[in-house]
Amino acid sequence: RSSDLSSGINAEYGGETNRVIADHALNHASSRSHCVFTVHIESRSRTQSSSNFTLSKLNFVDLAGSERLGKTMSEGLTKQEAMYINKSLTFLEQVILAVADRKREHVPFRQSKLTHVLKDSIGGNCNTVMIANVWGESSQLEETISTLRFGTRMMCVANEPMQNIHYDPLLLVREYEQEIKTLKMELAMHDTLANRSNVSYEPYTEAQQFDLQQNIRRYISGSVPEIEIVNLRQVKEIFKQFKQMILNQEREIEARVVQKYNLE
């Protein structure tokens, strides 16, 4: 993982140094594999402590060129590598054709490692730029036409780039906590102006729950005609305590029945 520009450039140079090359009849320094250099960028605001941030991914891809074995005269390992290169480029072209076809439901990204790595760079939510290298000689006319056709197919891929905005869960929780605190302060101010300073929005204590249970019992027995409703929090707590009282009463009745008829 690179934290600055110099370490990122050193990583790119390291990959370039480890790259395998070989010579054949047409190229004395032919790449024997594709090269992918991926840069992940995380962007945050320096002026605002916002919970959202932007993630970006840049894929720099150097594709090894397709080779005609009849012209390169490759043999042995070089020939086998050329076959693998041509096969992977065929898979890449199949993916490009599938992405360009709007009616196509399945895109074979998993056919090769190359297409799987470049899944985020071919169509969809990204920008794609392709640079095609051609050899402007009549002897290489077939390869030039093939490369230009490949680039034409790539131009048919539709892209709709947009920002990849993510949210930091820790900062988001802090923002929500601060918002809840602010709303509670506003409610307290509103209740004070409405002569309801005795209203609280904190969780009920055990003493408050006991007092509420006594009020419910008096209401059920008919000692009091009604229970004064203060806020929604009290209504929820009344239902909660009433449910708990019913469950406790059911347990007591069940225990009495078991004890009376020796049902243990």
Side-chain angles (χ1 to χ4, degrees), residues 194-252:
N195 295 325
R196 299 173 56 191
S197 57
N198 60 334
V199 177
S200 175
Y201 296 95
E202 298 298 327
Y204 271 69
T205 62
E206 293 184 0
Q208 291 174 332
Q209 291 176 357
F210 179 78
D211 293 339
L212 191 59
Q213 289 179 3
Q214 297 301 320
N215 289 335
I216 294 174
R217 288 192 177 93
R218 286 194 290 267
Y219 174 75
I220 294 175
S221 63
S223 302
V224 293
E226 60 182 17
I227 299 177
E228 183 182 359
I229 301 301
V230 179
N231 53 18
L232 181 60
R233 166 178 165 271
Q234 182 195 24
V235 174
K236 291 183 178 180
E237 190 65 29
I238 288 175
F239 278 105
K240 178 181 177 181
Q241 295 302 324
F242 186 77
K243 178 180 179 181
Q244 188 63 39
M245 291 170 59
I246 294 298
L247 293 176
N248 293 338
Q249 188 175 18
E250 289 179 352
R251 294 192 191 98
E252 292 179 0

Side-chain angles (χ1 to χ4, degrees), residues 179-189 201-203:
E179 185 176 356
I180 291 173
K181 184 178 179 181
T182 302
L183 291 174
K184 285 184 176 181
M185 293 175 62
E186 292 181 358
L187 282 173
M189 183 181 299
Y201 296 95
E202 298 298 327

Side-chain angles (χ1 to χ4, degrees), residues 247-260 263:
L247 293 176
N248 293 338
Q249 188 175 18
E250 289 179 352
R251 294 192 191 98
E252 292 179 0
I253 294 174
E254 183 178 357
R256 291 176 184 177
V257 171
V258 171
Q259 182 178 8
K260 181 176 180 180
L263 299 178

Side-chain angles (χ1 to χ4, degrees), residues 24-26 68-75 78-79:
H24 52 68
L26 298 180
R68 292 181 180 269
L69 298 179
K71 290 186 176 182
T72 60
M73 308 299 292
S74 300
E75 296 181 354
T78 305
K79 178 180 179 181

Side-chain angles (χ1 to χ4, degrees), residues 13-255:
Y13 285 158
E16 181 67 23
T17 303
N18 295 328
R19 190 174 188 179
V20 179
I21 59 176
D23 62 332
H24 52 68
L26 298 180
N27 192 348
H28 295 291
S30 174
S31 300
R32 308 319 298 158
S33 64
H34 307 301
C35 182
V36 180
F37 181 61
T38 303
V39 180
H40 296 270
I41 303 175
E42 180 178 317
S43 176
R44 295 177 181 268
S45 175
R46 292 186 177 182
T47 58
Q48 299 178 358
S49 58
S50 178
S51 60
N52 59 329
F53 58 94
T54 304
L55 287 180
S56 302
K57 182 167 70 172
L58 303 177
N59 282 326
F60 298 93
V61 186
D62 185 6
L63 297 175
S66 61
E67 299 178 359
R68 292 181 180 269
L69 298 179
K71 290 186 176 182
T72 60
M73 308 299 292
S74 300
E75 296 181 354
L77 181 60
T78 305
K79 178 180 179 181
Q80 187 177 6
E81 290 172 345
M83 294 173 62
Y84 285 139
I85 291 173
N86 293 339
K87 187 177 181 180
S88 65
L89 290 175
T90 301
F91 288 150
L92 177 60
E93 186 173 8
Q94 290 176 0
V95 168
I96 292 174
L97 290 174
V99 173
D101 187 0
R102 295 296 183 90
K103 299 180 180 179
R104 187 79 172 266
E105 295 182 357
H106 174 69
V107 179
F109 284 112
R110 296 187 178 182
Q111 280 191 332
S112 67
K113 291 183 179 180
L114 177 65
T115 54
H116 185 69
V117 170
L118 299 182
K119 180 179 179 180
D120 298 332
S121 300
I122 304 175
N125 180 21
C126 67
N127 274 324
T128 305
V129 178
M130 178 183 172
I131 300 176
N133 295 322
V134 297
W135 199 341
E137 295 185 3
S138 59
S139 59
Q140 309 299 330
L141 182 60
E142 293 182 3
E143 287 77 5
T144 299
I145 294 176
S146 177
T147 301
L148 294 177
R149 286 176 177 172
F150 185 84
T152 303
R153 295 187 182 99
M154 193 66 204
M155 291 175 61
C156 296
V157 175
N159 294 328
E160 297 179 359
M162 58 186 300
Q163 285 187 331
N164 295 319
I165 300 178
H166 298 260
Y167 294 91
D168 190 332
L170 295 178
L171 293 178
L172 200 60
V173 168
R174 292 176 185 174
E175 289 183 3
Y176 287 156
E177 289 178 347
Q178 183 62 35
E179 185 176 356
I180 291 173
K181 184 178 179 181
T182 302
L183 291 174
K184 285 184 176 181
M185 293 175 62
E186 292 181 358
L187 282 173
M189 183 181 299
H190 176 270
D191 291 335
T192 301
L193 296 176
N195 295 325
R196 299 173 56 191
S197 57
N198 60 334
V199 177
S200 175
Y201 296 95
E202 298 298 327
Y204 271 69
T205 62
E206 293 184 0
Q208 291 174 332
Q209 291 176 357
F210 179 78
D211 293 339
L212 191 59
Q213 289 179 3
Q214 297 301 320
N215 289 335
I216 294 174
R217 288 192 177 93
R218 286 194 290 267
Y219 174 75
I220 294 175
S221 63
S223 302
V224 293
E226 60 182 17
I227 299 177
E228 183 182 359
I229 301 301
V230 179
N231 53 18
L232 181 60
R233 166 178 165 271
Q234 182 195 24
V235 174
K236 291 183 178 180
E237 190 65 29
I238 288 175
F239 278 105
K240 178 181 177 181
Q241 295 302 324
F242 186 77
K243 178 180 179 181
Q244 188 63 39
M245 291 170 59
I246 294 298
L247 293 176
N248 293 338
Q249 188 175 18
E250 289 179 352
R251 294 192 191 98
E252 292 179 0
I253 294 174
E254 183 178 357

